């Protein structure tokens, strides 16, 4: 199989004119030679001037390409899957239109994956909240004590009120446990089941590089969820390969989350579709774990279920909508029994949906 580029970067775009140039400029500023990078932007029928911005970059840079969708899919999974079909790079990376790569992201991940001949390489990131002047590093089970993090923010997840209280004083200690031994800053994984602690790190699709042939051989796609599609993609990909490298470094990726009143991101507008899809995606992830005979899905999903409770508490749903959610939780509860915390979370969610 011949490739035109070392890396293809797939970027879904929808009404992202405010941040799009910052994201694209972070690609231009990479230490890797720009001629080795292909950028595939998939516009999900934007109604602002995102497409005009994209076309200007394509006019100036021949390795920047655009795919214009004629109708809106409504979530990142669709544009990402379409972009994957058009990549011509040896490896694939993902960048969202409101994120920015660290200048060494492409070079570091590519050199790590290529020199070690692995299907997947990934590292840590810093999450930056410019409005709050707050910088958080991503969690690592090898070097970080979860209690060192901000009281109400864990990997950017806002856990305040009663949920935050139980998180700080109870759940965080039980979910994240003790630190693991680390012999080097680079960890080679042949069987992810032997390294379940890595699942405690958020999926963060934009911190990873994938061998294109690996994705195509396994027909890997993002499932059709508004939220949680990246979680399912990452978990399944980890089970499918025997060659992963994890870099326990925080310099690979800078993540910027906009915290503005006019933010129109789908995953920041809390409605029934988001609440339902998030929970359904966790159920789907649990099914993936069952398919691959991985009995510790709670390691992956307990933090997400806890965050889902916080999400649900911010929503205003009808009785019929709660009933539909209850069906998902009830089906999940039949197989999600590994651990006391897991059973408590499922029980508490059921209780919430019944009130």
């Amino acid at each position: 199989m011949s490739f035109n580029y070392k890396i293809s970067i797939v970027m879904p775009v929808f009404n992202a004119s405010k941040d799009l140039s910052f994201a694209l400029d972070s690609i231009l500023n990479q230490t890797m030679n720009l001629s080795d990078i292909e950028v595939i932007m998939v516009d999900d029928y934007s109604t602002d001037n995102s497409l005009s911005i994209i076309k200007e970059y394509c006019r100036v840079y021949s390795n920047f390409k655009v795919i214009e969708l004629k109708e809106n899919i409504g979530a990142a999974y669709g544009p990402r899957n379409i972009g994957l079909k058009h990549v011509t790079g040896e490896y694939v990376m993902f960048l969202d239109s409101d994120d920015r790569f660290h200048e060494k992201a492409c070079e570091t991940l590519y050199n790590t994956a290529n020199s070690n001949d692995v299907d997947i390489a990934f590292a840590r990131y810093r999450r930056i909240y410019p409005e709050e002047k707050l910088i958080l590093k991503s969690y690592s089970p090898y070097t970080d004590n979860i209690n060192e993090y901000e009281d109400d923010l864990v990997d950017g997840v806002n856990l305040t009120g009663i949920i935050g209280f139980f998180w700080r004083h109870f759940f965080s200690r039980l979910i994240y446990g003790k630190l693991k031994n680390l012999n080097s800053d680079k960890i080679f994984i042949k069987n992810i089941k032997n390294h379940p602690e890595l699942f405690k790190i958020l999926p963060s699709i934009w911190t990873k590089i994938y061998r294109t042939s690996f994705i195509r051989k396994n027909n890997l796609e993002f499932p059709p969820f508004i939220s949680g599609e990246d979680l399912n993609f990452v978990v399944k990909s980890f089970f499918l390969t025997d060659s992963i490298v994890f870099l326990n470094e925080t310099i690979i990726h800078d993540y910027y989350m906009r915290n503005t009143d006019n933010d129109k991101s789908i995953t920041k507008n809390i409605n029934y579709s988001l609440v339902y899809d998030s929970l359904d995606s966790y159920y789907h992830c649990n099914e993936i774990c069952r398919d691959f005979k991985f009995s510790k899905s709670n390691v992956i999903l307990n933090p997400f279920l806890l965050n889902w409770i916080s999400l649900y508490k911010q929503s205003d749903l009808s009785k019929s909508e709660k009933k539909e959610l209850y069906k998902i939780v009830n089906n999940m509860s039949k197989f999600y029994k590994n651990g006391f915390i897991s059973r408590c979370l499922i029980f508490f969610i059921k209780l919430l949906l019944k009130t």
Side-chain angles (χ1 to χ4, degrees), residues 317-331:
L317 306 182
S318 66
K319 288 184 178 180
S320 61
E321 290 171 337
K322 292 180 181 180
K323 188 176 181 180
E324 292 303 311
L325 293 171
Y326 189 89
K327 290 179 182 178
I328 298 176
V329 179
N330 194 46
N331 287 333

Side-chain angles (χ1 to χ4, degrees), residues 178-205:
K178 297 180 180 179
L179 293 177
K180 299 293 181 179
N181 293 326
L182 180 66
N183 297 322
S184 69
D185 289 335
K186 186 185 296 181
I187 302 173
F188 294 86
I189 302 106
K190 285 190 173 296
N191 187 342
I192 192 63
K193 295 178 183 178
N194 296 329
H195 299 268
E197 63 274 3
L198 284 174
F199 281 125
K200 295 177 181 178
I201 302 173
L202 286 182
S204 53
I205 191 66

Side-chain angles (χ1 to χ4, degrees), residues 60-329:
V60 177
Y61 304 100
S62 60
N63 52 335
F64 280 56
K65 304 168 185 179
V66 60
I67 299 172
E68 300 178 45
L69 303 187
K70 300 306 179 183
E71 59 182 22
N72 178 252
I73 293 177
Y77 74 86
R80 285 187 186 141
N81 287 336
I82 291 170
L84 279 174
K85 295 178 181 178
H86 291 82
V87 301
T88 64
E90 182 183 1
Y91 288 87
V92 179
M93 294 177 66
F94 300 93
L95 181 66
D96 287 345
S97 55
D98 60 348
D99 298 343
R100 306 178 196 181
F101 278 139
H102 184 279
E103 63 183 8
K104 295 182 179 179
C106 292
E107 182 178 21
T108 302
L109 288 178
Y110 175 81
N111 287 343
T112 299
N114 186 57
S115 62
N116 293 289
D117 191 27
V118 296
D119 292 327
I120 305 170
F122 72 107
R124 302 177 65 185
Y125 61 90
R126 288 183 296 153
R127 176 170 279 177
I128 300 176
Y129 298 79
E131 302 298 326
E132 303 172 41
K133 298 181 180 179
L134 178 66
I135 300 177
L136 296 178
K137 61 182 178 179
S138 60
Y139 173 75
S140 167
Y142 297 101
T143 58
D144 300 337
N145 187 323
I146 196 68
N147 297 316
E148 296 174 355
Y149 282 66
E150 294 287 331
D151 280 349
D152 60 347
L153 284 165
V154 178
D155 265 334
V157 176
N158 190 11
L159 293 169
T160 55
I162 187 65
I163 302 299
F165 175 83
F166 279 106
W167 169 261
R168 292 189 295 274
H169 300 287
F170 182 59
F171 286 118
S172 63
R173 292 170 174 81
L174 291 175
I175 290 174
Y176 285 89
K178 297 180 180 179
L179 293 177
K180 299 293 181 179
N181 293 326
L182 180 66
N183 297 322
S184 69
D185 289 335
K186 186 185 296 181
I187 302 173
F188 294 86
I189 302 106
K190 285 190 173 296
N191 187 342
I192 192 63
K193 295 178 183 178
N194 296 329
H195 299 268
E197 63 274 3
L198 284 174
F199 281 125
K200 295 177 181 178
I201 302 173
L202 286 182
S204 53
I205 191 66
W206 21 263
T207 65
K208 295 171 176 60
I209 191 168
Y210 285 88
R211 184 148 44 194
T212 302
S213 58
F214 164 73
I215 289 179
R216 290 178 173 165
K217 175 184 176 182
N218 292 284
N219 296 314
L220 269 173
E221 288 189 332
F222 291 87
F225 297 118
I226 296 173
S227 176
E229 81 293 342
D230 52 350
L231 169 67
N232 283 272
F233 185 94
V234 169
V235 169
K236 187 173 183 179
S237 68
F238 279 5
F239 285 134
L240 285 169
T241 184
D242 60 0
S243 59
I244 305 173
V245 172
F246 169 60
L247 298 176
N248 198 53
E249 303 177 17
T250 59
I251 63 170
I252 302 304
H253 191 108
D254 287 349
Y255 178 82
Y256 292 73
M257 178 179 287
R258 298 304 183 188
N259 185 24
T260 58
D261 294 335
N262 61 348
D263 197 334
K264 302 301 181 182
S265 171
I266 291 174
T267 56
K268 298 183 184 69
N269 293 323
I270 302 175
N271 53 31
Y272 173 65
S273 295
L274 175 60
V275 175
Y276 181 93
D277 252 29
S278 297
L279 189 60
D280 197 24
S281 72
Y282 305 152
Y283 172 79
H284 188 265
C285 182
N286 192 57
E287 292 298 288
I288 291 175
C289 292
R290 288 183 63 208
D291 291 342
F292 284 94
K293 295 178 172 55
F294 180 67
S295 61
K296 298 181 179 180
S297 60
N298 58 313
V299 173
I300 305 171
L301 293 174
N302 278 355
F304 286 96
L305 289 175
L306 185 63
N307 185 48
W308 184 89
I309 294 172
S310 179
L311 183 73
Y312 170 79
K313 294 290 286 182
Q314 298 174 65
S315 65
D316 183 17
L317 306 182
S318 66
K319 288 184 178 180
S320 61
E321 290 171 337
K322 292 180 181 180
K323 188 176 181 180
E324 292 303 311
L325 293 171
Y326 189 89
K327 290 179 182 178
I328 298 176
V329 179

